[in-house]
Amino acid sequence: MNFDFSTDQTSFKQSIEQFARDVVAPRAAAIDASGEFPADVMRAAAGLGLLGVTVSKQWGGSGRDYLSYALAIEAIGRASATVAASLVVTNSLVAELVEHAGTDAQRERWLRSLAGGQTIGAFALSEPNAGTDAANQQTTAVRTADGYLLTGRKVWVANAEAAGVIIVFAATQPGRRGQGVSAFLVPADTPGITRTALYDSLGVRGLGCMDLDFNVAVRDDQLLGKVDEGFGLATWALQGGRVAIAAQALGIGQAALDEAIAHAKTREQFGRPIGNYEAIQWMIADAATALDAARMLMWKAATIKDRGEPGALESSMAKLAASEAAHNAADKAMQVLASAGYRRGSVVERLFRDVRAAEIYQGTSEAQRMIIAKNL
C-alpha cells in the first residue's frame, strides 16, 4: 500500500490549497453572514478546473483522477464548507452523471459549460416524503406525444438559486419505486419551474438551496439514460458524492483542529499555555487521530472509485467516519476555545454550524449505517 501522491497529484493539491487560502478563505465569513450564493468564487474556481475535475478533457474537463478531486474538495472545505458543497453538487451529482449516462449530444450541450463555469448544476432528488427513502418519488413524468410532462415538488435543491441545468428525478411508473424512476436534464429557465426560497439554515449558508415546483414539458432527448433506470443513476452519483462529502467534512474538521491547536499554544491559564495541560492535549490528540483515520477511509474510497470497482460500502464508511470525526473535532475545538469560540462570528462557531450538515445531506449517518450493514 502506497500513501505517497504522484507528482501531479501533489502539484494539483498545492495549487488548490493556495487558491483556498488566497481566494476562498477571505470570502468565507462574508458568504456565511450574507447567505448569498458565492458566484464570484465559483467563477474563480472554474478557472482552475474545479467545476469539472474528473470530466474528460474531451468534454472540456480537467480529466483528473478521483483522489485528486477529493484532495481538492478537502482543501476547499478547510476554507469554506459552502464553496466545497457547491462544487460537490456540480461535479459529483451533475457533471459526472452527465458524462456517465448522457448521450454525446447531451455531453456536448452541458459538460463544456459546466466545466467552464458558465453553468452551475443542481440535482433534484429529495421530496417532502422522499428523503432517506429516495425511491418514494411522488414527482411524476407522464408520457406525451413528443416527451414527458414533469409534475411535482422537490425540496432542499442545492445550487438551485444559480443553476443553469437541473437533473430531475421523476416516477415514470408510479408505485414501482426504484424500478420506475427516470432522470431528466432540465434547463433551469424552462417555463413551468417555480422557485421558493428556503428558510435560513443553521450552516453551509449560501449554498443556494431552494424548493422547486415543476409543471414542465420535456422532450425525449432530455431523458438522461434509459427510461425507468434513473434511480440507479441517482445511487451511482451519490456514491461518488459521498466520497466528496467525506472530503468536505475532513476539511471542516481539520480547520477546527487547526484553530484549537493555535489557541492552545497562545492562551495561558495559571501561568502557562493551556496546551500544556493533559485535558487539552487529549482532546486534540483524539480529534486528530479520528480525522486521520477517516482520511484513510476517504482515500481508499476515492481509489476504489478510480479503479471503477463497486464501492458503495467504502464510500458510505468514508462519509460516516469523516462526518462524525469532523463533528467531534469542531465540538472539541469549541471546548478548547471556550468563550472565544462560542461567540457569534468566530471561525470555530461557523465551523461548528457548518459541519453538522455533513451528517445529513447525501444520506444521513443512519442511512450510511444501513448501507454498510446491507453490504456486510
Side-chain angles (χ1 to χ4, degrees), residues 271-293:
R272 56 179 177 160
I274 62 173
N276 287 4
Y277 295 102
E278 285 183 341
I280 303 299
Q281 292 172 355
W282 291 358
M283 284 192 283
I284 289 173
D286 287 348
T289 300
L291 287 172
D292 220 29

Side-chain angles (χ1 to χ4, degrees), residues 124-174:
L125 177 65
S126 294
E127 298 183 358
N129 293 308
T132 298
D133 184 14
N136 185 34
Q137 293 288 303
Q138 301 302 302
T139 297
T140 59
V142 177
R143 196 78 176 93
T144 62
D146 58 353
Y148 296 85
L149 178 65
L150 298 183
T151 307
R153 183 176 182 83
K154 298 293 182 178
V155 299
W156 284 100
V157 182
N159 286 355
E161 179 184 330
V165 63
I166 308 165
I167 297 181
V168 183
F169 295 87
T172 35
Q173 293 196 56

Side-chain angles (χ1 to χ4, degrees), residues 210-222:
M210 305 189 85
D211 290 353
L212 303 177
D213 288 285
F214 290 90
N215 186 15
V216 171
V218 297
R219 303 181 308 274
D220 284 329
D221 62 5
Q222 290 175 250

